[in-house]
Amino acid sequence: MSTAATKTSASSTSSRAASTAFRTFATVFAITTPILYVICEMANWPLFTYHPGTNRIDFGWAPAVRDEGPAMHWYGWTANTLIGAALLGVAATALPDRVTSKIPLALVWIVPLAAIPLLIYALRFFWRW
Amino acid sequence: MDALLDYVSVNTFWTILLIVHGLLAVALLGALTHQAVSVLMPVRQVAGMPSFVTRFRAVHGAGYASAVCFLWIATFIFGAWIYSKYRITIRIPIEQEGFWKTQGAFEMKEHLASIGLGLLPIYWYFWRNARNADYDGPRKWLTACLAAMGWYMFLVGHVVNNVRGFGS
């Protein structure tokens, strides 16, 4: 095999490998994001709490402070979710292809849909008549 | 930001952010809707002059993927920025007026926006490999999911703005 052909073959293989790794990362990221988000929301596990009235940020969950306005946890839930999903996605790329190729791709849209009823239930406080 | 507030009032500043957020959302919704319709009702063959609906369906979906990712993230960033102002000046009066379902629908919008972020990498990957038939099914339904989420978020944002938004 010529040098050029060897380089092309190596480049193609490398590109395909990178693509497979990205697919694994993105698949696991998409599947775990709704799961982690529902857990963070229902268990109220924000990475940080933002107090918009005073622009203060507390690490983890913190209650609203009297006379200082509300506390916001959504930013912290989102941060926790994205960091957790990214870590799981990166970890999944270390698994062999024969394992990751068995992950059903349909889960990337089924899991987010399944999360919706849970989130509606989590918001039951607001469904008052 | 303080320098900008020397030239515009605080209300004008937040109004500008809200309008930019809304315009980005309109662009995102247009791109996602075109793309979703193109995969859910693809055009097979056109005889004669194509109708408006046919032309609407006949777009090349892959060409929208990067724009959709960019617009989702940009809309999210502006929305997250406005949310801090919303929490104090909009949500509290909405609760005082007892519009609980409106508030709940808005909370759901925030949830969907965050979950949608997590779906973007694989959505982009599926469309980048649009010729791979293995991805046809998940690409189709993931795009439809994102479009449905986009429509929900857009409509709820519009309703909340009507309840207490621009100019209130």
Side-chain angles (χ1 to χ4, degrees):
Chain A
M1 190 182 286
S2 71
T3 308
T6 308
K7 278 184 182 172
T8 305
S9 173
S11 168
S12 171
T13 306
S14 168
S15 172
R16 197 164 52 244
S19 179
T20 304
F22 182 79
R23 187 195 66 193
T24 301
F25 167 82
T27 304
V28 172
F29 191 70
I31 294 169
T32 55
T33 291
I35 296 169
L36 291 177
Y37 188 84
V38 168
I39 292 171
C40 288
E41 202 275 353
M42 294 187 85
N44 208 355
W45 287 340
L47 181 64
F48 57 87
T49 301
Y50 176 57
H51 302 267
T54 54
N55 269 333
R56 200 178 74 250
I57 293 175
D58 289 327
F59 184 74
W61 183 88
V65 179
R66 189 177 177 82
D67 298 328
E68 289 188 5
M72 299 179 73
H73 303 115
W74 174 76
Y75 299 108
W77 296 332
T78 303
N80 252 354
T81 299
L82 295 179
I83 292 169
L87 290 175
L88 290 170
V90 169
T93 60
L95 296 172
D97 281 353
R98 62 186 162 75
V99 175
T100 58
S101 63
K102 287 180 182 168
I103 300 172
L105 292 177
L107 290 179
V108 302
W109 61 271
I110 291 173
V111 174
L113 284 186
I116 289 174
L118 296 172
L119 290 170
I120 290 172
Y121 174 75
L123 293 170
R124 61 194 177 280
F125 170 80
F126 296 102
W127 314 129
R128 307 182 193 183
W129 298 95
Chain B
M1 196 170 77
D2 289 343
L4 183 63
L5 291 177
D6 289 341
Y7 300 97
V8 297
S9 69
V10 171
N11 273 349
T12 303
F13 173 76
W14 287 104
T15 301
I16 290 170
L17 289 190
L18 179 61
I19 289 173
V20 172
H21 176 62
L23 290 174
L24 288 167
V26 168
L28 173 63
L29 199 60
L32 263 175
T33 305
H34 258 303
Q35 201 180 41
V37 172
S38 77
V39 290
L40 291 172
M41 296 186 291
V43 175
R44 306 283 181 207
Q45 193 175 3
V46 180
M49 186 70 175
S51 66
F52 170 77
V53 176
T54 302
R55 278 180 277 141
F56 191 89
R57 293 158 51 200
V59 298
H60 180 57
Y64 290 81
S66 295
V68 165
C69 292
F70 169 80
L71 287 168
W72 192 292
I73 292 167
T75 309
F76 181 91
I77 290 169
F78 275 89
W81 192 354
I82 297 165
Y83 193 29
S84 62
K85 183 74 171 174
Y86 164 90
R87 183 62 184 85
I88 294 176
T89 59
I90 308 295
R91 176 168 165 169
I92 291 173
I94 282 178
E95 289 180 349
Q96 287 169 342
E97 292 293 327
F99 292 120
W100 297 107
K101 290 187 289 298
T102 305
Q103 181 53 40
F106 186 82
E107 293 292 304
M108 193 68 200
K109 163 182 151 84
E110 299 304 303
H111 293 339
L112 293 180
S114 293
I115 288 174
L117 275 184
L119 307 181
L120 294 180
I122 194 66
Y123 158 86
W124 180 82
Y125 179 86
F126 284 158
W127 278 107
R128 189 164 178 251
N129 294 279
R131 290 182 181 174
N132 188 333
D134 291 345
Y135 304 145
D136 283 354
R139 177 173 53 243
K140 173 179 168 180
W141 293 115
L142 181 61
T143 303
C145 278
L146 285 171
M149 290 160 76
W151 270 100
Y152 175 84
M153 292 188 288
F154 182 82
L155 292 174
V156 168
H158 192 68
V159 167
V160 171
N161 187 57
N162 287 350
V163 171
R164 190 181 171 86
F166 178 73
S168 62

